[in-house]
Amino acid sequence: MGEVIVGLKVMPESPETNMEKLKNDIKNAIPKGVKLRGMSEKYIAFGLKAVDVTVTMPDSAGGSENVENALSKIPGVSSVEVTGTGLL
Amino acid sequence: MAEKPHMNLVFIGHVDHGKSTTVGRLLLETGVVPAHVIEEYRKKAAEKGKATFEFAWVMDALKEERERGLTIDVAHKRFDTSKYYFTIIDAPGHRDFVKNMITGTSQADAAVLVVSAAEGDGVQAQTKEHVFLARTLGVTQLIVAINKMDAAKPGYNEKRYNDVKEDVTKLLKTVGYKIDTVQFVPISALKSDNIIKPSENIKWFKGATFLQTLDNLKVPEKPTALPLRLPVQDVYTITGVGTVPVGRVECGVMKAGDKIIFQPANVAGEVKTIEMHHEQIPQAVPGDNVGFNVRGISKKDVKRGDVVGHSDNPPTVPKTFTAQVAILQHPSAIAAGYTPVFHCHTSQVACIFEELQKKLDPKTGQVKEEKPEFLKTGDIAIVKIRPTRPMVIEKAKDIPPLGRFAVRDMGQTVAAGLCIDIEKK
Ligand SMILES: Nc1nc2c(ncn2[C@@H]2O[C@H](COP(=O)(O)OP(=O)(O)OP(=O)(O)O)[C@@H](O)[C@H]2O)c(=O)[nH]1
Ligand SMILES: [Mg+2]
């Protein structure tokens, strides 16, 4: 059992959402035991952008739901989707 | 990169049967591990006074490389064969990641099931579970790598290979794999037997090397011929544009001008324009993440979990459905009436296990028990499910990406399954 890497797509509530603040909030919301590995803005459509978030955690941590929940609770976040999962 | 077709390859199998070693061996022998990494480790080995160069160190080195400058793309290891360009996903061991594999977007085109032939190994609990999951994930192309042939007793013997092969065959039949399309290959990942060249140790084997089995895979077809299904991720109102749902096309094609319907919202509209990244596109195909502007609906009419289809072939909202489920982990027993949350495409709906119809024997695929009273961890069963509120799900046989689900309860992934039949409303 090793480290699991998970990609997440965070969608803001609107195209007007302050993306810098959102990224900062994401950084602060990452739960204990989970490492933030990268964040980048991704253009979706019609001026809308998502934040692509990459995190790692031990396989034994058992799932990424705690990260998904923590990010979902951030004000200004509309949804959080897992885009990829694999062992490091 | 040359214009080779791309394949997503997922490695599955029981703990310690050699998935990571097989991946590492492939990368090493296809020349993906940079020479400087190998050299560095040779030196270190020499410094530590170890005479032999250990393959395990290459594995460590690879991991370290990936630890630097990490993105999900980097974690998906890449390598080329003469025919394809592969990215590898090494499946996590913990069951709670199963939900990610089912609802996450990186769909595998083929799977390599690693089964150890070492004494006492063979088909194990997780071998069964992963086979079922591969099937649930809609992976139809399968390679069974019978690994650790060097550690069979006696080493490299043909009988052991055939015995393990037979056990795996039984297991695969249970979940509905067509055996004549499955490739079996004996290897030793550790000693590098039959990986890229035939091995003197396995002379009795006349089939392909592991690398050849990869080249024998078929180019996955994009499911464009299937009916349009686009699960909605989010819905926006954008100034100057209007109502814009966002989502990924799972199957079929959506064009500007199409008459569409959202289910279970049961709201119809017309696609005005479709955008992907910064561009307007005339049509969206499977795999495309798009936003599209819909005439005739407002943001409050539709929501995450709704599915878009064409008006003349709308997504199915069943009254009940029949499912084949594998119970992955449950602290006690599941009886009729159990109501956990089903994660299916972008929807999450509490559903009732209304009727436990059959329990299957994972070894033979035969019905082990009619109308079982309860199900426990490790069971595979046919059950009747009733959603507590309307949701879209399709027969997996007809529309695979919308026919699979993960079942969650108490913060755990309890089960995974496939919809095999539908009771219409
Ligand atoms: N004799 C022998 N040992 C092997 C072979 N392949 C792997 N091993 C050993 O088996 C052990 C487990 O190998 P891994 O590649 O880590 O197995 P895994 O399936 O990735 O394990 P998890 O990720 O923990 O599920 C290691 O000690 C390997 O050196 C093989 O072909 N022959
Ligand atoms: Mg491993």
Side-chain angles (χ1 to χ4, degrees):
Chain A
M1 296 226 166
E3 286 273 305
V4 179
I5 179 164
V6 177
L8 301 152
K9 181 168 107 184
V10 179
M11 293 294 291
E13 267 167 6
S14 98
E16 277 93 55
T17 302
N18 180 336
M19 297 301 273
E20 286 313 313
K21 178 170 186 310
L22 180 57
K23 284 194 280 186
N24 203 45
D25 289 348
I26 290 173
K27 207 181 291 172
N28 293 328
I30 300 291
K32 253 214 186 113
V34 176
K35 275 188 225 160
L36 177 65
R37 298 300 194 140
M39 261 199 298
S40 60
E41 283 180 33
K42 190 171 163 198
Y43 199 93
I44 303 291
F46 299 103
L48 261 173
K49 279 184 236 161
V51 184
D52 272 347
V53 179
T54 308
V55 294
T56 57
M57 64 198 79
D59 199 345
S60 56
S64 54
E65 203 169 56
N66 63 338
V67 199
E68 293 168 50
N69 289 343
L71 300 188
S72 302
K73 282 190 198 125
I74 297 172
V77 167
S78 170
S79 74
V80 177
E81 291 252 326
V82 171
T83 54
T85 304
L87 266 185
L88 201 54
Chain B
M1 190 83 47
E3 286 292 292
K4 285 180 196 168
H6 173 234
M7 297 273 264
N8 274 320
L9 198 60
V10 62
F11 275 68
I12 54 179
H14 193 71
V15 151
D16 276 353
H17 279 206
K19 297 179 295 290
S20 302
T21 308
T22 308
V23 170
R25 180 58 76 182
L26 257 184
L27 297 181
L28 183 68
E29 304 217 350
T30 52
V32 176
V33 183
H36 75 263
V37 172
I38 298 173
E39 208 33 56
E40 201 176 301
Y41 271 75
R42 253 188 234 285
K43 260 190 230 149
K44 270 193 201 159
E47 277 166 21
K48 285 185 182 147
K50 293 191 182 170
T52 53
F53 168 64
E54 293 253 2
F55 180 62
W57 297 338
V58 176
M59 301 292 296
D60 287 349
L62 275 171
K63 185 155 179 272
E64 275 173 29
E65 286 263 303
R66 286 195 301 273
E67 291 262 355
R68 290 191 276 268
L70 204 60
T71 70
I72 190 79
D73 289 341
V74 181
H76 291 179
K77 302 130 218 175
R78 290 153 197 248
F79 73 97
D80 279 58
T81 64
S82 55
K83 226 170 121 187
Y84 294 117
Y85 144 50
F86 286 98
T87 47
I88 296 180
I89 305 159
D90 191 352
H94 202 287
R95 294 182 171 109
D96 279 324
F97 288 103
V98 165
K99 188 204 74 172
N100 299 17
M101 310 296 285
I102 288 179
T103 58
T105 47
S106 56
Q107 176 63 37
D109 299 308
V112 176
L113 173 67
V114 179
V115 187
S116 165
E119 205 178 38
D121 285 354
V123 170
Q124 298 292 317
Q126 231 181 345
T127 319
K128 289 179 200 163
E129 193 172 308
H130 281 179
V131 162
F132 186 84
L133 288 173
R135 185 73 189 163
T136 305
L137 288 165
V139 180
T140 52
Q141 301 197 73
L142 192 64
I143 295 169
V144 180
I146 298 182
N147 187 34
K148 305 200 187 182
M149 285 304 299
D150 59 295
K153 286 244 153 67
Y156 300 104
N157 85 84
E158 184 175 10
K159 179 166 183 307
R160 176 64 175 157
Y161 170 73
N162 284 329
D163 288 348
V164 174
K165 181 180 169 186
E166 201 184 305
D167 286 347
V168 177
T169 300
K170 276 189 205 149
L171 176 63
L172 295 179
K173 280 185 181 160
T174 325
V175 298
Y177 273 105
K178 289 198 203 83
I179 292 303
D180 48 358
T181 65
V182 176
Q183 303 186 77
F184 289 85
V185 57
I187 60 168
S188 166
L190 192 67
K191 308 276 166 145
S192 191
D193 289 297
N194 205 30
I195 303 290
I196 61 166
K197 49 181 197 298
S199 165
E200 279 298 303
N201 295 321
I202 317 180
K203 276 210 201 98
W204 45 262
F205 184 69
K206 304 294 175 220
T209 61
F210 185 45
L211 203 70
Q212 281 163 351
T213 65
L214 296 176
D215 267 346
N216 288 342
L217 294 169
K218 301 213 164 52
V219 186
E221 264 178 57
K222 276 201 173 184
T224 48
L226 293 177
L228 169 67
R229 294 294 183 263
L230 182 157
V232 173
Q233 277 166 15
D234 293 282
V235 186
Y236 296 90
T237 307
I238 296 179
T239 322
V241 182
T243 305
V244 175
V246 169
R248 195 176 92 111
V249 178
E250 290 294 342
C251 52
V253 178
M254 185 174 75
K255 296 191 177 84
D258 280 357
K259 299 254 189 305
I260 55 168
I261 187 156
F262 293 76
Q263 291 291 12
N266 198 27
V267 169
E270 185 188 319
V271 179
K272 281 204 299 204
T273 50
I274 308 170
E275 279 199 10
M276 185 161 70
H277 309 306
H278 291 276
E279 275 167 56
Q280 190 171 321
I281 54 172
Q283 62 171 36
V285 298
D288 287 353
N289 271 299
V290 296
F292 52 106
N293 170 13
V294 188
R295 204 194 307 270
I297 68 164
S298 86
K299 178 177 152 86
K300 62 180 191 328
D301 292 336
V302 294
K303 61 175 190 302
R304 179 177 174 81
D306 280 329
V307 178
V308 174
H310 285 126
S311 295
D312 57 2
N313 192 346
T316 310
V317 183
K319 198 157 95 185
T320 66
F321 59 93
T322 309
Q324 180 170 346
V325 294
I327 312 302
L328 302 174
Q329 50 184 351
H330 192 277
S332 53
I334 292 171
Y338 181 52
T339 312
V341 176
F342 279 52
H343 291 239
C344 182
H345 52 85
T346 58
S347 81
Q348 296 181 12
V349 175
C351 295
I352 307 164
F353 277 60
E354 193 164 81
E355 201 183 297
L356 312 182
Q357 297 179 336
K358 295 176 176 111
K359 200 153 94 181
L360 306 179
D361 183 350
K363 274 238 162 76
T364 60
Q366 301 300 310
V367 176
K368 195 160 77 178
E369 195 180 335
E370 293 281 354
K371 302 197 189 316
E373 229 161 288
F374 52 83
L375 302 173
K376 288 191 313 214
T377 300
D379 283 343
I380 292 180
I382 309 290
V383 294
K384 187 168 152 191
I385 303 294
R386 181 182 298 271
T388 58
R389 56 183 174 82
M391 69 179 278
V392 168
I393 190 164
E394 306 281 356
K395 263 196 234 182
K397 194 159 57 65
D398 300 339
I399 307 185
L402 273 88
R404 52 177 171 260
F405 54 82
V407 179
R408 306 244 333 152
D409 184 28
M410 303 167 297
Q412 287 190 325
T413 302
V414 171
L418 279 178
C419 168
I420 55 176
D421 207 2
I422 293 273
E423 185 196 356
K424 287 231 165 86
K425 274 224 156 111

